[in-house]
């Protein structure tokens, strides 16, 4: 079993056909077929089902694919670090919307000033997308608000992120200091897209209390949610730190939900098999030292 075998296998999985994988690797199709057969013989497993001239990866193949991606990434990182000592090293950091928009930038700036040899690429997206990217070795680490369910990911809490329910001046509930969650029954909800941690958390509270709210606005952008809430289009749930200025100006009003504490953890998340390079360890140390502050 060699790195070459793993590269060929990963290419076949990604391309879906041996012929296309062969072209992408600039080798012959028989060489690809032989490499796949050698892996299957070596482990005594079947990697693909071949039905109607199409390849369908097996459960065993999926397991190998997960390991192979991380092995290849670690190998490539080693090659870069040893062959290009002194050159910039890339770190791929993922962040969910609140962390990426309102909290991460000062810490990234501090880290880059202290580590000029490291180049950071940041991807901001929702919890579900970042989990998939971490599982597929497309990110080195994620800063995630909300739940992480994948068993192959490990997380470490770095801080709490308080959440609040808020409405604009045109909303009939504006001015209410506190209400039971049942008082939200029948009102319109302005929320993030499916896959968002904040949406999943609030929906569980609604379901637990059998409260029905119709989703009127669904946005991937926090500023768009703010605008809709300010216009009185419905009730929205925010990270408290994202609407501090709007609350001070009294264009948004926070309503406390009686007996309910809305809060979520912000965690550093990585794959359990991820090799922690010196540069990545330095980034994590900087994160712990500086925290995520608004």
């Amino acid at each position: 079993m060699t790195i070459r075998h793993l590269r060929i296998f990963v290419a076949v999985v990604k391309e879906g056909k041996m012929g296309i994988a062969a072209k992408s690797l600039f080798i012959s199709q028989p060489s690809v077929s032989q490499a796949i057969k050698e892996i299957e013989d070596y482990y005594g497993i079947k990697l693909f089902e071949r039905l109607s001239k199409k390849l369908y990866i097996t459960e065993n193949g999926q397991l190998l694919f997960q390991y192979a991606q991380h092995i290849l990434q670690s190998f490539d990182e080693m090659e870069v670090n040893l062959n290009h000592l002194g050159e910039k090293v890339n770190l791929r950091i993922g962040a969910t919307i609140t962390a990426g928009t309102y909290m991460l930038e000062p810490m990234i700036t501090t880290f880059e000033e202290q580590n000029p040899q490291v180049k950071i690429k940041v991807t901001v997206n929702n919890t579900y997308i970042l989990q998939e990217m971490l599982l597929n070795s497309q990110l080195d680490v994620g800063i995630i608000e909300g739940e992480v369910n994948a068993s192959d990911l490990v997380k470490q809490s770095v801080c709490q992120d308080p959440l609040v329910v808020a409405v604009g001046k045109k909303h009939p509930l504006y001015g209410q200091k506190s209400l039971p969650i049942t008082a939200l029954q029948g009102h319109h909800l302005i929320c993030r897209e499916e896959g968002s941690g904040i949406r999943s958390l609030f929906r569980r509270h609604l379901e637990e209390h059998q409260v029905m709210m119709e989703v009127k606005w669904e946005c991937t952008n926090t500023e768009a949610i703010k605008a809709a809430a300010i216009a009185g289009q419905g009730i929205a749930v925010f990270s408290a730190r994202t609407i501090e200025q709007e609350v001070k100006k009294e264009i948004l009003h926070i309503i406390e939900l009686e007996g309910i504490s809305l809060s979520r953890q912000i965690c550093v998340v990585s794959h359990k098999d991820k090799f922690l390079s010196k540069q990545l360890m330095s980034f994590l140390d900087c994160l712990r030292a500086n925290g995520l502050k608004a």
Side-chain angles (χ1 to χ4, degrees):
M1 176 60 56
T2 66
I3 290 293
R4 176 179 178 275
H5 284 92
L6 295 181
R7 287 202 191 282
I8 292 173
F9 168 67
V10 168
V12 173
V13 175
K14 290 183 175 180
E15 300 295 350
K17 292 184 178 180
M18 291 191 183
I20 298 176
K23 289 181 180 179
S24 71
L25 296 171
F26 301 101
I27 60 177
S28 67
Q29 183 169 335
S31 296
V32 171
S33 300
Q34 181 62 29
I36 297 300
K37 183 178 184 303
E38 287 173 357
I39 299 174
E40 291 179 329
D41 291 344
Y42 183 83
Y43 289 112
I45 60 174
K46 199 171 188 65
L47 298 175
F48 300 97
E49 293 288 350
R50 297 162 178 82
L51 304 173
S52 301
K53 298 184 179 180
K54 292 184 179 180
L55 293 179
Y56 298 89
I57 192 168
T58 65
E59 186 175 344
N60 289 329
Q62 287 285 5
L63 179 61
L64 177 61
F65 182 60
Q66 291 179 17
Y67 280 113
Q69 288 187 104
H70 289 283
I71 291 169
L72 290 175
Q73 183 192 341
S74 295
F75 180 81
D76 290 340
E77 287 179 357
M78 178 190 70
E79 291 281 279
V80 170
N81 288 335
L82 294 181
N83 289 324
H84 303 282
L85 291 175
E87 296 183 9
K88 281 189 176 293
V89 175
N90 295 324
L91 287 184
R92 302 163 303 166
I93 310 300
T96 39
I97 304 297
T98 300
T101 305
Y102 300 95
M103 303 160 67
L104 191 58
E105 189 278 326
M107 196 281 294
I108 294 286
T109 299
T110 299
F111 177 79
E112 288 181 329
E113 290 173 350
Q114 297 173 350
N115 300 269
Q117 79 284 5
V118 179
K119 180 181 179 181
I120 292 181
K121 178 182 178 182
V122 177
T123 298
V124 177
N125 216 310
N126 67 37
T127 300
Y128 175 79
I129 296 297
L130 295 185
Q131 282 192 135
E132 290 300 304
M133 293 181 74
L134 286 165
L135 289 170
N136 292 320
S137 205
Q138 295 171 305
L139 292 174
D140 296 310
V141 68
I143 314 299
I144 293 180
E145 321 125 8
E147 292 188 357
V148 176
N149 301 314
S151 60
D152 284 338
L153 299 180
V154 293
K155 63 180 182 179
Q156 178 184 7
S157 177
V158 290
C159 67
Q160 288 289 322
D161 184 35
L163 305 177
V164 293
V165 172
V167 295
K169 281 188 175 181
K170 296 181 181 180
H171 196 277
L173 296 182
Y174 186 91
Q176 295 286 340
K177 184 176 181 180
S178 65
L179 290 170
I181 193 171
T182 52
L184 306 185
Q185 175 73 33
H187 283 281
H188 289 144
L189 180 63
I190 305 167
C191 63
R192 290 275 311 283
E193 76 287 355
E194 288 286 354
S196 161
I198 194 169
R199 176 171 176 162
S200 300
L201 186 151
F202 188 61
R203 182 164 54 191
R204 284 199 302 276
H205 283 289
L206 293 176
E207 292 174 350
E208 181 181 342
H209 292 84
Q210 298 181 328
V211 175
M212 297 293 294
M213 296 183 71
E214 179 186 352
V215 175
K216 183 175 183 180
W217 285 68
E218 183 177 276
C219 312
T220 60
N221 184 287
T222 300
E223 295 303 313
I225 295 174
K226 282 186 192 180
I230 290 169
Q233 291 294 320
I235 297 169
V237 183
F238 298 96
S239 167
R241 68 190 78 213
T242 67
I243 59 168
E244 290 177 349
Q245 295 303 313
E246 289 78 10
V247 171
K248 285 180 181 178
K249 295 175 183 177
E250 298 185 349
I251 57 176
L252 282 177
H253 172 72
I254 293 174
I255 301 172
E256 295 181 9
L257 296 181
E258 298 170 2
I260 294 178
S261 176
L262 288 176
S263 181
R264 59 185 176 174
Q265 290 184 333
I266 295 183
C267 298
V268 177
V269 182
S270 60
H271 196 282
K272 65 181 179 63
D273 298 323
K274 174 66 182 175
F275 172 72
L276 301 181
S277 65
K278 178 181 177 181
Q279 293 79 16
L280 184 54
M281 287 291 290
S282 295
F283 176 82
L284 295 177
D285 288 342
C286 184
L287 182 64
R288 297 184 189 103
N290 292 279
L292 290 171
K293 300 175 183 178

